[in-house]
Amino acid sequence: MSRFPFDAMRIDAHQHFWSLARSDYGWLTPALGVIHRDFGPADLAPLLAAHGITSTILVQAAPTEAETAYLLEIAATTPFVAGVVGWTDFDAPDVAERIATLAADPLLVGLRPMVQDIADDNWLARSELAAAFEAMIANGLVFDALLKPCHIPAMLTVLERHPDLTCVIDHGAKPDLVSGDLTTWREGMSALAKHPRLTCKLSGLVTEAGSDWTLETLRPVVAHLLATFGPERLIFGSDWPVVTLRASYGQWIEAAKALLVDLTETQRAAVFGGSARKLYLSQRGRQ
């Protein structure tokens, strides 16, 4: 049984559940093979136990408020789910009211529009979204930014307009690990890291790599994230079950531990739990 060598609350800050019968996962097609099936708490619980993970953050996978309600229902009856990152329509004229209504549930800790699936790379920078971001600030919610490198300029505009917005970048902004061309990504992440209320998830990286990925494939990305954000602003997430397209739950955890082996015990404790607790739970006044 794999255990982390420190005593701390260990949080997987990015995992999903879904039920295909709900039919609102447009991206989840049979072509995705092993993940084109239902996944629920009973599937994840033994993996968490085997690797000493005590809590998770459950993240939306469909652009509907109905799915957010479904995830909140799961969280209410699943002790290891510490919070839910949901979805709402940021373009809706009543978005502030929608966000306030969702935030009335203390298990909702953040919101995530599926930016990577929106055709307009500059969508985030639209001034019409100001009401949504201000409502998130007012309700103590974290903005989960599902970005690719092409979206970083728009994200920088958001951060400049809303300096009080608490934000986390999902999956390290999805660097192109297949081609290995990281120039634009490096520049963008360096610019993002200058914003002190921004953190970054160490998640989803193996999915951006080829099936023959190794630690050396991931090392340049992790090294840059450590150099720019520092370990105190990096947060571990599995991106399970999507991660299983490239690695098992245990393989990704072991890879992350190996890539962070030079950190101090205190720094590792922050990456594998402390920073996620501060970001998601303290933000909502729950820890």
Side-chain angles (χ1 to χ4, degrees), residues 112-128:
R112 183 176 85 149
M114 300 179 81
V115 176
Q116 68 173 14
D117 296 331
I118 295 172
D120 180 4
D121 290 350
N122 202 46
W123 177 81
L124 274 174
R126 293 173 64 244
S127 59
E128 293 86 347

Side-chain angles (χ1 to χ4, degrees), residues 3-285:
R3 294 288 179 180
F4 292 112
F6 48 79
D7 183 18
M9 184 178 185
R10 300 168 198 139
I11 300 174
D12 177 347
H14 200 105
Q15 56 92 186
H16 307 284
F17 295 135
W18 53 68
S19 170
L20 297 182
R22 299 194 62 263
S23 302
D24 52 1
Y25 312 99
W27 62 276
L28 187 54
T29 67
L32 290 171
V34 295
I35 66 169
H36 189 255
R37 67 172 182 84
D38 293 353
F39 288 92
D43 299 297
L44 183 57
L47 301 175
L48 301 178
H51 297 284
I53 306 293
T54 57
S55 304
T56 71
I57 300 298
L58 176 57
V59 179
Q60 64 82 224
T64 65
E65 288 185 357
E67 194 230 11
T68 298
Y70 164 73
L71 298 180
L72 287 167
E73 288 173 4
I74 291 175
T77 58
T78 306
F80 65 73
V81 175
V84 170
V85 173
W87 181 94
T88 195
D89 183 359
F90 275 43
D91 285 310
D94 61 343
V95 65
E97 291 79 9
R98 288 178 182 230
I99 289 174
T101 298
L102 288 169
D105 189 323
L107 284 170
L108 189 85
V109 296
L111 292 171
R112 183 176 85 149
M114 300 179 81
V115 176
Q116 68 173 14
D117 296 331
I118 295 172
D120 180 4
D121 290 350
N122 202 46
W123 177 81
L124 274 174
R126 293 173 64 244
S127 59
E128 293 86 347
L129 301 187
F133 292 120
E134 290 302 312
M136 291 194 68
I137 293 167
N139 288 281
L141 297 176
V142 176
F143 180 68
D144 263 57
L146 179 58
L147 309 180
K148 292 184 177 180
C150 61
H151 303 115
I152 290 176
M155 188 69 238
L156 288 167
T157 298
V158 172
L159 295 170
E160 288 158 7
R161 289 176 180 165
H162 306 281
D164 293 329
L165 182 68
T166 300
C167 179
V168 60
I169 303 298
D170 290 348
H171 313 325
K174 297 200 165 189
D176 186 352
L177 286 167
V178 174
S179 74
D181 182 0
L182 301 176
T183 303
T184 300
W185 174 83
R186 280 195 180 99
E187 292 172 353
M189 296 307 284
S190 294
L192 286 172
K194 293 176 182 177
H195 292 266
R197 295 186 70 87
L198 185 73
T199 55
C200 183
K201 286 186 186 177
L202 194 65
S203 62
L205 298 181
V206 294
T207 317
E208 301 307 308
S211 57
D212 58 347
W213 70 274
T214 67
L215 287 180
E216 297 312 309
T217 308
L218 308 180
R219 200 176 300 280
V221 166
V222 175
H224 187 67
L225 293 177
L226 283 169
T228 51
F229 285 88
E232 295 78 13
R233 289 199 289 152
L234 288 183
I235 294 172
F236 170 79
S238 67
D239 197 25
W240 179 92
V242 180
V243 69
T244 60
L245 292 169
R246 291 286 185 269
S248 69
Y249 194 94
Q251 285 172 328
W252 168 233
I253 287 182
E254 293 305 318
K257 289 166 62 178
L259 291 163
L260 301 174
V261 69
D262 292 333
L263 300 187
T264 68
E265 197 164 304
T266 299
Q267 289 170 332
R268 288 197 302 275
V271 175
F272 286 105
S275 294
R277 180 176 61 186
K278 191 179 301 182
L279 174 72
Y280 286 114
L281 306 184
S282 296
Q283 181 83 354
R284 293 286 271 152

